[in-house]
Amino acid sequence: MTEEILINVTPYETRVAIVQQGAVQELYIERKLSRGCVGNIYLGKVVRVLPGIQSAFIDIGLERSAFLHGSDVWHSRPPLDAAASTPREPIEKIVYEGQILIVQVIKDPINTKGARLSTQISIAGRTLIYLPREPYIGISHKIEGEAERKAVRARLISVLPADEKGGYIVRTLAEYVSSEELSNDVTYLRKIWSKIQAQTMQVPPILLYQDLNLAQRVLRDFVNDDTIWIQVDSHDMLKMLVKFSNEFMSSISDKLQYYTGEHPLFNFYNIETEILRALSRRVDLKSGGYLIIDQTEAMTIIDVNTGGYVGTHNFDDTIFKTNLEAVYTIARQLRLRNLGGIIIIDFIDMGNVQHRNAVLNELNTVLSQDRTRVTVNGFSQLGLVEMTRKRTRESLAHILCEPCLVCQGRGQVKTARTVCYDILREILHESRRFNAREFRIVATQQVVNLLLEEESRHLATLCEFIGRPVSLQVESNLNPEQYEILLM
């Protein structure tokens, strides 16, 4: 299946859309102000060692000194039979003030705490993670089966140069790539480490290596034989990507293109509209059915409905076709919205067992194309499909949105009539506490209109009961649930 990659760049944000057959399948967003420093490698200087908390503070050029805990200090791996009996040396015996260290950020600064560091360096590639200080090869636990693990290990060993002293962790993707691709990744990672080492003679603190930006990571991780082109709407970003590809991935250089259209890149390919749809609770199906997607703290619930689709044959076929169409839309929405964790799908009830099996099989088939690990447990006793999708980053809604200031994330606001009754109850309560000459209600136009018209009898009854007048005032800046009661 052919795909196109669209890269939209502004000074404050980079957005990447992966499009297949004219429809956006995945969306990635990286904002300059929120880009962290995890993965960055620095040449730092130890400014203080604190044996009491087994930590050292290191100046790496950030606003606050970063800290290195004793458990994050790299040690040469002991023999397997000695691992249990060999105690870890205290930090004061291996780190001292004024020492120059190559360190990597493993946790961004938070509030008053500095970044957390490690001296165990790791550099991520497309199929491998390079550990220049560890002489061993690890295999991702996601590669299952002893034969498969042995095969991928043998392929990696066959392409390693004779002078290799570092180690590698084989990523899941490596199971399906050729030896040539593994060799290219080894060359790429060794080049990066050579560049890092070449800078270590400089005066610290200095940034030795910054983790790739979003556009570069997309080139490294997502471009494949099915990618027909990569369109970029920024000259500077295009130059950077061309340089990056020429140095590390020369085979994809010809696919990079500068977008010259009159309309903005994401508008031309209708990506902006798709983003708005991906933030909506309702997703319409072509047949007339629709999905309702509710994202909660613990899980995501997807409800399938027939809507206006009435079918052409019988009721069972109508349900089956709606559910089958929903499968493809659900798989795409999971990727586009980057929904992770527990996901519950409520398909329309199917009495036909063959239809249930066909829908489940199709769901497994389309989800197998997902870059993120997905596990489908099948239909539960209640007729719900339970599945999980690994959380790799924040969902689209969490990146672009925040809880509504009016409803506080409930998705609903009180009706004007409910607000009226809240006001009447509060005035009754306040009249017993304060001896005011008059109460003034400040509320929205809709609430005031209701109190002057349909609820005027209740307002008059309240005034008579408390023995004080109540006046009304409209305030257009209030939200539907807000009001004030002023004591005059």
Side-chain angles (χ1 to χ4, degrees), residues 7 50 53 73 87 93 102 214 252 259 284 345 349 430 439:
I7 303 177
L50 301 176
I53 58 172
V73 178
K93 290 190 176 182
I102 300 176
L214 173 60
I252 70 169
Y259 175 72
D284 291 321
I345 307 174
D349 289 339
E430 294 297 310
F439 291 95

Side-chain angles (χ1 to χ4, degrees), residues 414-422 447 450 454-455:
K414 292 180 179 179
T415 64
R417 195 176 304 277
T418 302
V419 175
C420 285
Y421 295 163
D422 287 344
V447 170
L450 205 58
E454 297 178 36
E455 299 297 335

Side-chain angles (χ1 to χ4, degrees), residues 166-305:
Y168 294 87
I169 296 176
V170 180
R171 303 178 74 176
T172 310
L173 181 63
E175 183 179 1
Y176 306 104
V177 302
S178 64
S179 296
E180 182 182 0
E181 288 179 275
L182 285 177
S183 178
N184 290 340
D185 221 15
V186 169
T187 303
Y188 160 71
L189 293 168
R190 282 168 59 89
K191 276 185 180 180
I192 291 178
W193 181 237
S194 296
K195 286 187 172 184
I196 291 171
Q197 288 181 304
Q199 301 177 75
T200 56
M201 300 306 294
Q202 301 184 58
V203 178
I206 185 174
L207 174 64
L208 300 176
Y209 168 76
Q210 184 172 31
D211 197 19
L212 301 180
N213 61 39
L214 173 60
Q216 291 170 324
R217 294 199 305 272
V218 166
L219 258 62
R220 182 191 70 190
D221 297 338
F222 297 158
V223 178
N224 53 50
D225 294 337
D226 293 331
T227 306
I228 55 177
W229 65 58
I230 305 143
Q231 295 202 59
V232 188
D233 63 2
S234 163
H235 277 297
D236 291 340
M237 180 61 76
L238 182 64
K239 289 178 182 177
M240 180 192 294
L241 295 181
V242 168
K243 181 181 178 182
F244 175 78
S245 62
N246 286 338
E247 190 170 1
F248 300 113
M249 309 170 68
S250 56
S251 60
I252 70 169
S253 297
D254 294 338
K255 297 182 179 182
L256 286 162
Q257 299 179 3
Y258 178 66
Y259 175 72
T260 58
E262 293 182 5
H263 300 284
L265 177 62
F266 270 32
N267 288 83
F268 183 77
Y269 283 90
N270 210 33
I271 307 298
E272 300 289 6
T273 303
E274 288 291 344
I275 293 173
L276 290 177
R277 289 175 180 167
L279 297 175
S280 174
R281 184 169 176 258
R282 173 171 170 150
V283 180
D284 291 321
L285 305 176
K286 291 182 179 179
S287 64
Y290 62 92
L291 309 178
I292 296 295
I293 302 177
D294 284 320
Q295 186 179 351
T296 71
E297 191 70 27
M299 66 180 70
T300 299
I301 299 97
I302 303 176
D303 185 29
V304 183
N305 300 277

